[in-house]
Amino acid sequence: MTDEYIVQRVLDGNTHIFSEIVDKYKDKVFSMVYRFTNDYNEAQDLSQEVFIQVFKGLHLYNEKAKFSTWLYRISYNLSVDWSRKNKKRLKQLFFSEENLKEPFDEGSDIEKNFIEKQKQILLRKAVSSLKEKYRTVIILYNYQNFSYEEIAEIIKMPVKTVETRIYRARKLLRKSIGNSNYGGELYEVQSDA
Amino acid sequence: MKCSQMHELIDRYLDGIQEGYDMESFRQHIRQCKSCRIMLDEKRELMYLFKSDAGPEVPLNFTNKVMESVKDLKAPARVKAQKGCAISYPVFRRLGVSMLLTAVLMIFSIFIPPEFGGAINGMAVERTSEIVTRTSELSKDISKINNSIKAFYKNFENTLSSIRR
């Protein structure tokens, strides 16, 4: 079933079929919201709110646009609104290992696992300290794996602007992480390109 | 190729975008320039950190919780055309924007400094007056058109009824 077909069915009164939309997009929406809030419980509440807003606004969905883009735009708007209302809270966040997955299989070097987790924590801190316009594109591109064009549609910016912001954001992240220089060995120099 | 060009090229290289760029010169520069090689490795490490941080899983029963929340909500319905008003939404939107502009100009004219007040105030007052007049004309036009369409529908219904008889 296509998204548009499901939308039509819901508008015809078959509300229960909305669960198909939720099942299809919950992972990506939750992941996006979590990257903006950096709080598991907040992300849970906010991502539920995303789907409630999607449900309420289904009659406004214009089939000329892709449904997924429309949905992700709602998710993005709510996430950014939350970030703006909770600026102080974001600055005081304690980044723990709780919600970090094991980067390697069991039995791998424990010390290496630990260092990788600490680097990820450092990176998350650095991302959350970026200005909103840079944080947004980094989350959508590097964490959510959207393309430049998809990001441009979601945040309603030209593709070139998205591209430029991503490059600048990465530059800022390198600078920020380089200054933190966890353990003095954050970057391991490898072989040539 | 200069080092100053390498920042963006390295990002594009790591993103897999190679079209339109001289990759042979890029690779040659990387082989010869230690600082750019270090930068490439640092950026590669950064990309790896992003990829390896998958984040937490979506909570269990997430879909059930969402459906619990929406089941009490009124189901969204398709937007139907309003009876008795055949004027399109964009016309009302233009009317609203005109009135908003009027209000903004009037507020703006209060706060401008005295040295600019004269000319700008005069222009603002004139423009405000134009907008108010135009808004009023638009309202009258809309009202006339609405009445004409109502009359047309009434005649149409009467004609249909007589045909049915």
Side-chain angles (χ1 to χ4, degrees):
Chain A
M1 278 190 282
T2 63
D3 294 337
E4 289 73 19
Y5 174 75
I6 295 172
V7 168
Q8 290 307 317
R9 292 286 304 280
V10 175
L11 291 175
D12 288 338
N14 300 303
T15 311
H16 65 278
I17 206 173
F18 184 69
S19 61
E20 302 278 328
I21 296 277
V22 180
D23 280 333
K24 186 174 175 183
Y25 293 105
K26 64 183 178 185
D27 291 321
K28 200 115 181 178
V29 166
F30 178 80
S31 170
M32 185 197 292
V33 170
Y34 177 77
R35 295 298 177 189
F36 278 95
T37 60
N38 280 297
D39 184 304
Y40 185 84
N41 293 324
E42 284 291 346
Q44 189 172 1
D45 292 339
L46 195 58
S47 45
Q48 281 179 25
E49 184 59 28
V50 166
F51 284 105
I52 291 169
Q53 294 303 322
V54 165
F55 178 83
K56 283 182 181 173
L58 275 179
H59 60 294
L60 298 172
Y61 164 60
N62 184 348
E63 284 187 20
K64 286 179 189 170
K66 227 169 132 191
F67 178 80
S68 58
T69 305
W70 182 74
L71 184 148
Y72 291 136
R73 193 177 295 135
I74 293 172
S75 180
Y76 159 72
N77 286 335
L78 284 176
S79 300
V80 164
D81 284 346
W82 186 94
S83 299
R84 287 176 187 164
K85 288 175 191 165
N86 293 274
K87 268 185 191 169
K88 270 188 189 175
R89 203 170 144 184
L90 276 173
K91 284 183 184 172
Q92 289 158 2
L93 270 174
F94 173 68
F95 289 83
S96 71
E97 291 178 24
E98 264 178 35
N99 293 314
L100 284 170
K101 278 186 179 174
E102 291 291 333
F104 300 107
D105 294 329
E106 283 182 27
S108 292
D109 189 342
I110 294 169
E111 190 186 345
K112 203 174 179 185
N113 273 356
F114 174 77
I115 291 172
E116 282 299 325
K117 278 190 177 177
Q118 297 310 309
K119 286 179 183 178
Q120 282 173 3
I121 289 172
L122 197 60
L123 181 59
R124 285 192 189 185
K125 273 185 190 167
V127 169
S128 74
S129 66
L130 288 173
K131 276 186 185 171
E132 183 188 291
K133 59 180 180 177
Y134 296 127
R135 190 169 71 247
T136 295
V137 293
I138 284 290
I139 287 171
L140 295 178
Y141 187 74
N142 286 106
Y143 283 122
Q144 297 300 113
N145 300 313
F146 285 116
S147 66
Y148 294 155
E149 291 74 20
E150 284 170 327
I151 295 172
E153 281 179 38
I154 290 169
I155 68 174
K156 293 190 180 176
M157 284 274 160
V159 174
K160 193 65 194 165
T161 304
V162 170
E163 223 177 288
T164 308
R165 284 187 184 177
I166 287 171
Y167 294 139
R168 283 187 190 156
R170 284 178 184 167
K171 211 171 168 179
L172 289 167
L173 281 176
R174 267 186 64 239
K175 202 175 167 183
S176 168
I177 293 173
N179 287 343
S180 303
N181 213 3
Y182 179 81
E185 294 173 357
L186 189 70
Y187 297 116
E188 293 170 17
V189 177
Q190 294 168 4
S191 53
D192 302 33
Chain B
M1 196 168 272
K2 295 179 186 175
C3 290
S4 56
Q5 295 168 288
M6 291 300 285
H7 281 274
E8 199 172 311
L9 279 178
I10 287 173
D11 276 333
R12 287 180 187 278
Y13 169 76
L14 290 171
D15 286 342
I17 302 166
Q18 298 182 8
E19 281 172 25
Y21 297 98
D22 183 358
M23 295 316 293
E24 193 42 53
S25 301
F26 170 82
R27 288 192 190 97
Q28 203 175 354
H29 184 100
I30 288 288
R31 277 193 286 271
Q32 292 166 354
C33 178
K34 188 180 176 185
S35 62
C36 285
R37 206 157 54 242
I38 291 172
M39 195 196 322
L40 172 63
D41 287 333
E42 287 176 355
K43 289 195 178 202
R44 191 183 270 135
E45 172 81 6
L46 196 61
M47 300 292 276
Y48 171 74
L49 285 174
F50 277 125
K51 279 188 168 54
S52 63
D53 183 2
E57 300 275 350
V58 68
L60 293 170
N61 295 322
F62 181 86
T63 303
N64 289 341
K65 285 181 183 172
V66 170
M67 295 312 291
E68 272 297 305
S69 303
V70 303
K71 77 170 186 189
D72 296 326
L73 295 173
K74 193 178 169 187
R78 286 192 185 84
V79 176
K80 291 178 186 171
Q82 299 278 334
K83 280 188 182 177
C85 178
I87 306 300
S88 67
Y89 177 65
V91 175
F92 282 121
R93 195 165 58 187
R94 264 181 247 138
L95 191 60
V97 169
S98 302
M99 290 170 75
L100 182 66
L101 271 173
T102 310
V104 166
L105 276 168
M106 286 169 79
I107 292 166
F108 177 73
S109 67
I110 297 167
F111 291 106
I112 48 173
E115 52 269 29
F116 297 109
I120 295 175
N121 213 7
M123 280 162 56
V125 167
E126 199 182 304
R127 184 67 185 138
T128 305
S129 163
E130 272 176 36
I131 290 170
V132 166
T133 310
R134 183 70 186 130
T135 306
S136 161
E137 282 169 7
L138 267 172
S139 303
K140 284 180 192 163
D141 288 342
I142 287 167
S143 185
K144 272 185 203 169
I145 293 168
N146 214 12
N147 289 337
S148 306
I149 290 171
K150 276 185 188 170
F152 170 79
Y153 273 130
K154 200 171 177 185
N155 283 335
F156 185 66
E157 274 174 15
N158 291 339
T159 309
L160 270 179
S161 304
S162 62
I163 290 170
R164 280 187 195 123
R165 274 186 237 125

